[in-house]
Amino acid sequence: MTSMNRRNFVKIAGAAGAAALLAGCDNGGDAEQTPATDDTADDTPDEAPYTLVKEGVLTNVAELGFSPFEYIDEDGNTVGFDVDLSNAIAEKLGLTCEWLPNQAFDTLVPTIEQGGKADICIAGMTITDDRLEHVDFSDPYLNSNQALIVSASSDATTESLNAEEIQIACQTGTTGDEWIQENLPNATRVPLSDVTAGMMGVSTGSYQAMVIDLPVAQNMLAQSFSDLKILEEIPTGEQYAIAVSKDNPGLLDAINDALAQIEEDGTMDELKQKWFGTTDI
Ligand code: GLN
């Protein structure tokens, strides 16, 4: 394929009208070929409409301490809503899924931007304007808000937490981290790489509060931290989406097509039911 035809192919394949539109490609090849199965018109193999770090594999990167979205279970397996969703996407694309070892949340966007290590980041990651300067995001797949967590016995109010002697934990570089800086500017913010460490700290009294995504707060309080409570649900109106390199628009299209199918064929509702006990999230 010439570079011009390759460009056409990328656009066409992304639009999912491959067969019909390929006929309009004036590349001298066999217009009847389908991109996935026939490479006889050319000595080189068919170009995929996107690039992958590893052939046949959708390589994921995430911070793996964000239950129930992505976490390591007792048997050492990477599991969660996002993991199942990524597997479902990979299946639609005819790929298998692999996960890189755990990475700090604030390294994820740079990893995708730099390329070469992971194809996608699915990590309960909120679409933000700042991140959009560095990566592309898929269509959103889940809505989220923030939660302000304190000890169950605390009589703090949100206002009383806005004081220098108050230590408020968050995960570094998250939207919760930003929320503290904007809304409780007098408090002493404690950015951590690990969500569980933050909750442990509130539990033991090292920190007076933590700000974290609401679905994760609800899950972790129910599972492991019955001595903590949600003081306030903060309606930030966030949307989770999958980050993809700006150099890989074909992959973004393919993921959006897969997500649309997953919504339509009921897989998304099944996964929500499995991980949240409701489809209303
Ligand atoms: N949704 C939040 C964000 O995107 C937190 C994500 C996370 O900690 N995995 O910043």
Side-chain angles (χ1 to χ4, degrees):
M1 257 186 203
T2 64
S3 62
M4 199 183 136
N5 283 327
R6 185 179 304 123
R7 266 205 304 282
N8 286 343
F9 182 81
V10 168
K11 277 194 211 139
I12 290 159
L21 288 161
L22 265 178
C25 256
D26 185 20
N27 63 2
D30 180 0
E32 281 159 26
Q33 69 177 305
T34 58
T37 57
D38 187 344
D39 61 3
T40 54
D42 196 319
D43 285 336
T44 56
D46 284 323
E47 301 283 339
Y50 47 77
T51 59
L52 293 169
V53 169
K54 193 165 154 189
E55 204 184 321
V57 176
L58 190 61
T59 305
N60 292 253
V61 68
E63 193 279 323
L64 301 175
F66 205 59
S67 172
F69 292 97
E70 43 274 319
Y71 63 101
I72 314 275
D73 71 7
E74 290 140 16
D75 303 322
N77 299 313
T78 303
V79 297
F81 176 88
D82 284 346
V83 177
D84 283 352
L85 181 57
S86 189
N87 280 329
I89 291 168
E91 197 178 306
K92 302 273 183 217
L93 303 184
L95 305 170
T96 57
C97 239
E98 283 181 13
W99 289 76
L100 295 183
N102 183 49
Q103 271 189 221
F105 185 80
D106 60 345
T107 68
L108 299 175
V109 166
T111 296
I112 294 297
E113 184 177 26
Q114 280 155 23
K117 279 178 76 183
D119 302 306
I120 65 170
C121 169
I122 175 164
M125 184 177 278
T126 304
I127 304 171
T128 68
D129 288 343
D130 281 354
R131 293 173 187 159
L132 277 168
E133 285 179 20
H134 302 280
V135 293
D136 283 341
F137 278 103
S138 71
D139 294 332
Y141 64 85
L142 204 100
N143 298 324
S144 184
N145 288 309
Q146 294 295 312
L148 183 57
I149 296 169
V150 293
S151 163
S153 59
S154 166
D155 55 7
T157 62
T158 305
E159 295 69 36
S160 75
L161 292 171
N162 192 20
E164 202 183 335
E165 66 277 15
I166 301 290
Q167 305 220 53
I168 306 185
C170 61
Q171 196 172 30
T172 312
T174 59
T175 45
D177 186 349
E178 257 174 57
W179 187 88
I180 297 171
Q181 296 180 58
E182 283 165 17
N183 296 281
L184 299 174
N186 299 332
T188 303
R189 173 184 139 258
V190 184
L192 303 166
S193 58
D194 187 58
V195 174
T196 305
M199 291 204 185
M200 288 292 286
V202 181
S203 182
T204 57
S206 303
Y207 315 129
Q208 285 67 55
M210 177 164 194
V211 178
I212 179 83
D213 292 25
L214 180 62
V216 174
Q218 287 167 332
N219 177 271
M220 290 183 70
L221 265 51
Q223 300 290 325
S224 333
F225 291 98
S226 54
D227 56 336
L228 304 183
K229 69 178 178 190
I230 295 175
L231 177 63
E232 191 188 333
E233 295 188 7
I234 307 159
T236 47
E238 296 173 48
Q239 292 186 307
Y240 291 170
I242 300 168
V244 180
S245 163
K246 285 182 184 288
D247 295 333
N248 212 354
L251 183 60
L252 189 72
D253 287 344
I255 284 173
N256 282 335
D257 285 348
L259 275 175
Q261 289 175 46
I262 285 165
E263 290 280 359
E264 249 164 56
D265 68 12
T267 307
M268 188 65 93
D269 279 348
E270 266 172 43
L271 295 184
K272 287 179 178 173
Q273 193 65 46
K274 173 179 171 185
W275 289 101
F276 305 103
T278 174
T279 56
D280 190 21
I281 175 166

